[in-house]
Amino acid sequence: MKHKKIRRKFILYLDGDLPETEKGKIEKHLSVCESCRNALKVIKELWDGEEKFQVLPPESLWYKLKDRLEEKRIDRILGLRLNKKKILKTAAAMVIVIISVLTGSRLGNALNPSFENENNIFLKNNITRDDFGINYFDILPPNSIAEDVFIFASNTEVNKK
Amino acid sequence: MDETQIIEHLKNGDEFIYKYVYDKYVRIIFNVCYKMAGSKEEAEDASQEVFIKVFNSIDSFRADSKLSTWIYRIAVNVCINFQRRKKIVKFLSFDFWEEEKDSPVENSTPLKSLEKLEIQNTVQRALNRLPAKQKTALILSRYEEKSYKEIAEIMGTSLPAVESLIFRAKENLAKKLSLLKNN
């Protein structure tokens, strides 16, 4: 066995978890390899020397826990705790749906050439893209800030005419 | 008070039982969390989470194992989740390339020699570097002195799986201990 392989088995060897054959191989190797003997000494020192101590929980732990339990109890009484997650999930889903519908309808309207209603300020004022030499005539979503800017610009153009 | 009565009171939400259960299990829970997390602060947070889960989900306890086994199971899951969260936070805070900072093991007795503390620190640091499941199995076996059967119940796995986890944990630990000691 190589040194690395041998050293990996040291804790198992110390704890007596290895079968006799493997234990024999390790002992055989240790009898001829000083570096592995030293490595085993170090591991033994660490593994056996480590005290299995018990840590005492701090006294404040119970009071902190009590506070958190009380918070949860109040939440439950108010019905918030049970519904908090559901409310958040539903609200998030609703926001996503609303944003998707609005964006979809605006994009749809803007890209649709037959979009002819009273909101279409460009058609109402008989403005064509040739008046501006630009291409955003078709794609500005109605009621958007971009449209407001465009209305301002178009009114100026109409006044000029 | 026997276990059935404790469970019954917990299910009824009788508040006096919380302190009773806390007193009965706080030491083992805190010690498991401490070994798993490696620091007292994290062990405190994790222990609180464990008790809150125990009190709030007692209705889901089907009594197919001992109450203590169920509590251990919750503790192990909470600690593994804490570790996962810690790794994610570390990754998101761009600290992931840094060498893992090991929380020093606090001195539990004032008379403990520096040498012993150093040994404890080295072993804890090596433990912290083990994969979560191997670490859990080894902690339950070595420090909580649980049998392989009990560990299998706590971890919700089979006996051969526990044997293999502990075997691999000891192999890995020996490797990591040699590396740490050499450094």
Side-chain angles (χ1 to χ4, degrees):
Chain A
M1 273 200 252
K2 285 181 185 170
H3 306 284
K4 243 184 179 179
K5 232 177 169 183
I6 290 274
R7 289 176 192 188
R8 277 183 79 115
K9 307 277 178 200
F10 277 171
I11 292 182
L12 293 161
Y13 173 74
L14 290 170
D15 282 359
D17 292 337
L18 291 175
E20 281 304 314
T21 48
E22 215 159 337
K23 206 176 140 191
K25 278 181 195 170
I26 288 178
E27 279 164 0
K28 198 178 159 194
H29 179 88
L30 285 171
S31 67
V32 293
C33 178
E34 201 191 339
S35 122
C36 280
R37 271 201 308 272
N38 289 336
L40 177 66
K41 212 174 136 190
V42 171
I43 299 280
K44 188 173 164 40
E45 187 186 287
L46 289 170
W47 193 237
D48 293 346
E50 195 213 12
E51 207 173 290
K52 290 177 201 166
F53 64 96
Q54 287 273 313
V55 199
L56 287 177
E59 295 219 341
S60 59
L61 184 60
W62 166 246
Y63 299 101
K64 286 181 189 168
L65 176 66
K66 224 174 126 185
D67 286 347
R68 283 189 64 186
L69 285 169
E70 186 60 17
E71 273 172 31
K72 298 231 172 215
R73 198 180 64 89
I74 293 169
D75 279 357
R76 211 176 303 140
I77 290 170
L78 295 173
L80 290 173
R81 199 186 156 270
L82 277 176
N83 297 326
K84 213 185 276 173
K85 270 191 182 174
K86 275 186 187 172
I87 291 169
L88 278 176
K89 274 184 191 170
T90 317
M94 278 171 71
V95 168
I96 291 169
V97 169
I98 290 169
I99 290 174
S100 313
V101 169
L102 285 178
T103 314
S105 76
R106 283 181 172 215
L107 272 176
N109 285 341
L111 296 172
N112 186 359
S114 62
F115 177 53
E116 291 179 21
N117 64 25
E118 73 282 1
N119 290 327
N120 198 323
I121 188 80
F122 316 115
L123 290 175
K124 213 163 70 180
N125 291 322
N126 200 23
I127 301 168
T128 69
R129 69 181 66 180
D130 297 335
D131 293 326
F132 299 95
I134 48 178
N135 282 332
Y136 51 71
F137 181 75
D138 287 337
I139 56 163
L140 285 181
N143 307 320
S144 65
I145 295 172
E147 194 198 54
D148 290 341
V149 174
F150 201 79
I151 291 167
F152 177 76
S154 60
N155 284 340
T156 319
E157 278 302 311
V158 171
N159 289 342
K160 273 185 196 169
K161 277 184 183 176
Chain B
M1 201 180 307
D2 69 17
E3 214 173 274
T4 335
Q5 285 172 309
I6 296 175
I7 296 164
E8 207 181 303
H9 284 300
L10 277 175
K11 286 190 176 173
N12 290 340
D14 299 334
E15 284 192 19
F16 77 93
I17 202 73
Y18 291 165
K19 181 77 169 101
Y20 181 86
V21 171
Y22 173 85
D23 287 339
K24 196 169 160 116
Y25 294 104
V26 69
R27 275 194 185 210
I28 53 169
I29 297 302
F30 190 76
N31 275 284
V32 168
C33 294
Y34 181 68
K35 270 284 161 206
M36 293 282 287
S39 83
K40 273 191 178 171
E41 290 75 27
E42 282 175 66
E44 255 192 77
D45 290 344
S47 305
Q48 281 186 52
E49 200 62 41
V50 172
F51 280 107
I52 286 171
K53 281 214 156 93
V54 168
F55 298 150
N56 286 345
S57 47
I58 188 70
D59 287 330
S60 66
F61 177 60
R62 283 163 298 167
D64 49 5
S65 63
K66 281 197 282 180
L67 182 66
S68 60
T69 306
W70 184 68
I71 294 177
Y72 263 115
R73 198 179 302 154
I74 291 178
V76 162
N77 289 336
V78 166
C79 290
I80 291 177
N81 284 339
F82 261 58
Q83 270 179 298
R84 253 184 231 147
R85 238 179 284 163
K86 210 167 105 181
K87 273 187 191 165
I88 294 170
V89 169
K90 199 178 159 191
F91 182 81
L92 293 177
S93 61
F94 300 101
D95 283 344
F96 52 91
W97 62 79
E98 278 182 17
E99 176 66 13
E100 194 181 318
K101 281 179 197 150
D102 302 291
S103 346
V105 175
E106 286 92 344
N107 196 347
S108 59
T109 56
L111 293 173
K112 195 178 290 278
S113 69
L114 275 172
E115 198 187 335
K116 273 194 173 170
L117 256 181
E118 199 204 323
I119 289 175
Q120 224 162 276
N121 265 325
T122 314
V123 177
Q124 183 65 53
R125 274 157 64 198
L127 266 177
N128 286 348
R129 284 167 162 80
L130 291 182
K133 281 189 176 176
Q134 288 181 21
K135 183 175 163 184
T136 309
L138 191 63
I139 288 172
L140 291 174
S141 157
R142 181 169 163 86
Y143 302 98
E144 296 301 311
E145 290 169 353
K146 295 278 166 208
S147 68
Y148 284 13
K149 193 175 164 248
E150 282 173 300
I151 298 172
E153 270 185 53
I154 291 168
M155 294 182 71
T157 187
S158 65
L159 205 61
V162 172
E163 283 168 0
S164 154
L165 278 172
I166 293 178
F167 191 89
R168 279 184 286 135
K170 285 183 178 177
E171 276 193 340
N172 273 337
L173 199 69
K175 193 177 149 194
K176 290 177 199 308
L177 280 176
S178 327
L179 285 174
L180 281 172
K181 199 65 192 172
N182 288 341
N183 290 340

